[in-house]
Amino acid sequence: RILITGAFGQLGTALTEALINKYGSKSVVATDLHIRDTFNCETLKLDATDLEALDEIVRTHQITQIYHLAAVLSAKGELEPLKTWDLNNSTFFNVLEAARLNDVRKVFFPSSIAVFGADARNQITSNDFPLNPTTVYGISKVAGEQWANYYNAKYNMDVRCLRYPGLISYQSLPGGGTTDYAVDIFHKAIKGEDFECYLRKGTQLPMLYMDDAIDATIRLMDAPKKAITRVGYNIQGMSFSPEMIAEEIRKNIPKLTVVYNPDNRQKIAESWPVALDDTPARMDWGWEPEYDLKRMTEEMLYRLDQKKRTNAFMHA
Ligand code: VAH
């Protein structure tokens, strides 16, 4: 069975549903610090900093794969650096140890474009570009990739990682990231409200629609081990700046107004690549995005409008 930590986060919400759809509700155990009855699968409260509790779940639920999604994201992480370092690292260590002790071979660890630093900014950053992270979150992702390499080499485990760019999804409101403006702008546009953007107009970043992120994750984890040539794979679906996505939304909602008010997240964004070279992912296990800016915008507006109608109907 598959264990998911952080199942109620932005990635977890979509990935848990996808794993249930693919493997069946009896094959998935969703866990998080705070749980709700959202998923049609076993859902358990778990503080991933508690190795005993994690080990207990892995043992008693015949877990054979772990997707470790619990973490503090980039912007929120900068508010409490040491706590973020401790939480992001101790939880991954616990996952690696619980996996090792219970002979769970396959582990998924979400890495991020945050592993790169300002020296990678103005280029299509290659998978092998030096990792000079500028945030605690990024440091914890570099450390995570290195620990994945260590456990794979020393204990013959099969830990795999994707370096996600900003993820855009309609299923949940993300929190604590630097790329989350690209989700919030849709919610404001649908409500006919002005959007205040915390990044400067020209700040381009690599992004990925959630359906593509889920497809890449499952494709990576399903690939034969011999196809995997590295631990952290760059992937991206598109690269855009705030005014580019605003322009795309205006094709459907012409009156969208954006006010630019850069804050501390500007500096984080400017330390990340403008775009990623994801050739190794394409070569090794067939990565191929389906959503570009146009298609993602149409899909997000359609889904959020649908949710708005359903809510209106439910509360009518
Ligand atoms: C964040 N959405 O902004 C996450 C992600 C690449 C960005 O790691 O922190």
Side-chain angles (χ1 to χ4, degrees):
R1 300 173 81 189
I2 296 170
L3 171 67
I4 300 157
T5 70
F8 288 88
Q10 182 197 12
L11 176 59
T13 306
L15 189 58
T16 301
E17 291 293 349
L19 290 170
I20 291 170
N21 292 340
K22 182 171 167 77
Y23 297 109
S25 58
K26 300 231 174 315
S27 304
V28 177
V29 178
T31 67
D32 210 323
L33 207 50
H34 308 292
I35 58 174
R36 302 188 292 280
D37 63 350
T38 316
F39 303 121
N40 171 26
C41 73
E42 182 151 20
T43 304
L44 303 169
K45 181 175 166 51
L46 169 68
D47 174 349
T49 62
D50 178 350
L51 177 55
E52 299 266 306
L54 177 58
D55 182 61
E56 163 84 16
I57 290 178
V58 172
R59 235 174 334 97
T60 56
H61 289 76
Q62 302 85 38
I63 299 299
T64 54
Q65 276 191 51
I66 303 177
Y67 286 71
H68 175 53
L69 309 181
V72 177
L73 294 184
S74 59
K76 186 157 169 264
E78 290 307 290
L79 304 177
E80 295 185 281
L82 294 185
K83 193 167 159 251
T84 299
W85 169 258
D86 179 45
L87 193 140
N88 286 5
N89 272 277
S90 62
T91 55
F92 189 37
F93 260 129
N94 288 347
V95 163
L96 289 171
E97 277 300 282
R100 180 177 70 83
L101 294 167
N102 294 287
D103 206 20
V104 172
R105 313 198 86 55
K106 259 188 169 178
V107 173
F108 176 73
F109 174 70
S111 187
S112 162
I113 61 171
V115 297
F116 296 108
D119 55 342
R121 172 79 186 144
N122 293 312
Q123 56 204 290
I124 314 285
T125 303
S126 101
N127 222 103
D128 305 320
F129 194 88
L131 306 182
N132 294 307
T134 61
T135 59
V136 173
Y137 170 78
I139 295 169
S140 74
K141 292 303 182 182
V142 171
E145 287 192 19
Q146 298 310 325
W147 279 116
N149 271 316
Y150 181 86
Y151 272 71
N152 287 350
K154 189 167 176 108
Y155 304 118
N156 188 29
M157 280 176 59
D158 185 5
V159 187
R160 304 184 186 186
C161 309
L162 288 178
R163 291 169 181 169
Y164 291 119
L167 297 183
I168 298 170
S169 63
Y170 65 89
Q171 292 93 330
S172 67
L173 266 175
T178 299
T179 59
D180 297 338
Y181 87 86
V183 176
D184 294 346
I185 190 168
F186 283 105
H187 289 268
K188 294 294 188 298
I190 281 282
K191 286 190 264 186
E193 294 171 9
D194 290 359
F195 176 62
E196 184 180 357
C197 185
Y198 54 70
L199 295 184
R200 249 198 290 285
K201 257 191 167 190
T203 312
Q204 196 154 338
L205 284 170
M207 299 278 185
L208 186 60
Y209 184 55
M210 186 58 81
D211 284 18
D212 273 335
I214 300 300
D215 174 58
T217 308
I218 292 178
R219 196 182 289 269
L220 170 77
M221 294 305 275
D222 276 356
K225 191 167 179 183
K226 63 181 184 312
I228 307 299
T229 61
R230 64 200 61 225
V231 158
Y233 280 96
N234 288 358
I235 57 166
Q236 78 161 41
M238 58 196 101
S239 171
F240 59 74
S241 62
E243 83 274 10
M244 285 166 69
I245 188 171
E247 273 314 302
E248 197 58 38
I249 293 174
R250 284 194 191 100
K251 290 178 185 169
N252 294 275
I253 304 177
K255 60 182 183 340
L256 171 65
T257 305
V258 180
V259 177
Y260 293 91
N261 240 338
D263 69 11
N264 60 306
R265 286 167 282 194
Q266 181 65 31
K267 190 164 172 293
I268 296 176
E270 284 175 355
S271 75
W272 291 349
V274 160
L276 299 176
D277 172 12
D278 55 12
T279 306
R282 293 166 187 267
M283 305 286 282
D284 290 0
W285 41 271
W287 160 238
E288 179 65 48
E290 305 275 324
Y291 288 81
D292 60 7
L293 178 56
K294 180 177 182 313
R295 186 175 174 201
M296 179 272 290
T297 300
E298 285 161 2
E299 174 73 5
M300 278 291 284
L301 291 174
Y302 167 72
R303 294 284 185 175
L304 288 176
D305 189 53
Q306 211 181 24
K307 269 179 105 169
K308 186 172 141 187
R309 291 172 196 282
T310 314
N311 290 344
F313 176 74
M314 301 278 272
H315 300 114

